[in-house]
Amino acid sequence: MSEKIATRDAYGNVLAELGASHANLYVLDADLSCSTKTNVFAKKFPDRFFNLGVAEQNLIGWAAGLAVAGKIPFASTFAVFATTRAFDQVRNSIAFPNLNVKIAASHAGLSVGPDGASHQALEDIALMRIMPNFTVVVPADGPQAAEATRCVFEHQGPVYLRLGRPKVESINAQEPFVLGKAQTLRAGEDITIIACGTMVREALLAGEQLQKAGVSVRIVNMHTIKPLDQAAILAAARETGAIVTAEEHTIIGGLGSAVAEVLAESRQAIPFKRVGVADQFGESGEPDELFDKYGISAKHLVSTVKTLVKQK
Amino acid sequence: MAFPKNPNPAFLLQQATTLRRDIIEMLGAAGSGHCGGSLSCADILATLYYSELNHDPQKPDWKQRDRFILSKGHGAPALYSVLARTGYFSPDLLGTLRKLNSTLQGHPDMNKTPGVEMSTGSLGQGISVACGIAAAARTQDPNQAAYRVYALVGDGEMNEGQVWEAAMSAAHYRLSNLCVIIDNNGLQIDGETCRIMNLDPIPEKWRAFGWHVVQCNGHDHCALVNAFAAARAETAKPTVIIAKTVKGKGVSFMENKVNWHGIAPNQEQVCTALDELK
């Protein structure tokens, strides 16, 4: 088994690596650089790092200003603050003028753990995908977060990059990482699980268990929520006849909703179920305990898949 | 070639009067928009674009140009007028303000209007953006002097917490190439600023936040020219120019009238106002 790496760590290391060869890369943080891992860049390139203190609205404005001046700024803080606290700033100072700002937000989802509901962003994917011009990326493991950071840097336009706190196991993706192109991690014929972020690993675990139970599951890693790989969704619907989505996020407005929108307009009436946090806030606990209590761990995927396969 | 600077007060007054006439005609034609706050900042904008900024209307993307951000985005008519009159686009376009498919949106849109440096409208945000630009200017090629960044903030806008977040950060990073101008007309939508949300004493607040504070009459072109010179001379701190202004300045029936914040004049009022602006 490969080494477990947190997506935030991979992000921080790649930023520092990119900084060496790109003088136009700037990094900003709001007093969380040790947690978001922008401190690696800050140490190497202090002149291109700005800590704005505990002031997320101003953080977003500074990032917008640097982009206006032709720099490529990455602004980092916790996902819950980057999106909900500074939403008006993200909308009006970045999305609307379509500025080349990258918001790389860590500590997304329930896996923040013991800090509890106030710090667990469960709405960020929904918020960021509704805004014109934004690209929304949710890498599934450390190596993918590294690849995603490089792609996001090269991409022209605003991006939301969703990162997590815990160290996560590798999903061993074989297909190259391309923005907007889903990866098929496992072939299957009976049903497809479309997952993003930490839930990709849960989906793979579920897929293994279901294989033993005689259910052939296709696993799709939808690492880019926007633009959404509609072709991969429609192919899964056509070829496997049932879809379950899996996200560490509220079931309202996120990956599941995005997939549902595509299916609803495709005239393909297939068994479909969203797995995610069911319209409620989280609480303190260890990530695995929370995944279990809030119904998003591999075992919940297994039972959901079994139910859906019977409906076919 | 950079736009020629002319600090002559009589010349600047003449340009400001042109701006005010444009504002009245634009808002009359649009049928909506913000009269009071556009008229109150006309002298500030005329002084900036005709005497202070290093800019070139023929080359809006000139890298070393000074930048101006209209943080109080509802003053857009004043900005559009000065941009048109200095040559960024044809003054003929001014009549399209707020109309469908116009390049002149109700609030500034950097992707639609030549010379507009940043899209603004949601208050409190332009000043943070100005900080980011000022920081970028300062850290670029060390062989080149940092260009300067100016942001016009409304006094009601100072209610926004983000203004003070930005104020903190500009002083912390010693952005001496940043100059904020407060259009201190004393009125906001719902009434007098001191009654809606009192911010007095304004100079002391900015001083406490670590800024170089300059106070002046925002309709006195000589005073404005001197204030900008004082800002330019400051090399350790960002400067705020608290410009005392009159909302609706130049049109007698609009001056200091809170109800003229966000309405447009009718045809008769346009004629009366233009008669006064000569």
Side-chain angles (χ1 to χ4, degrees), chain A residues 56-57 60 80-91:
Chain A
E56 295 77 13
Q57 301 175 10
I60 295 299
V80 72
F81 307 133
T83 58
T84 57
R85 178 133 195 158
F87 191 67
D88 182 28
Q89 285 72 18
V90 172
R91 180 189 186 273

Side-chain angles (χ1 to χ4, degrees), chain B residues 95-114:
Chain B
T96 68
L97 173 72
R98 289 178 166 251
K99 300 248 165 68
L100 190 65
N101 299 322
S102 174
T103 54
L104 305 182
Q105 295 291 296
H107 291 82
D109 182 339
M110 64 183 289
N111 294 314
K112 286 201 162 78
T113 315

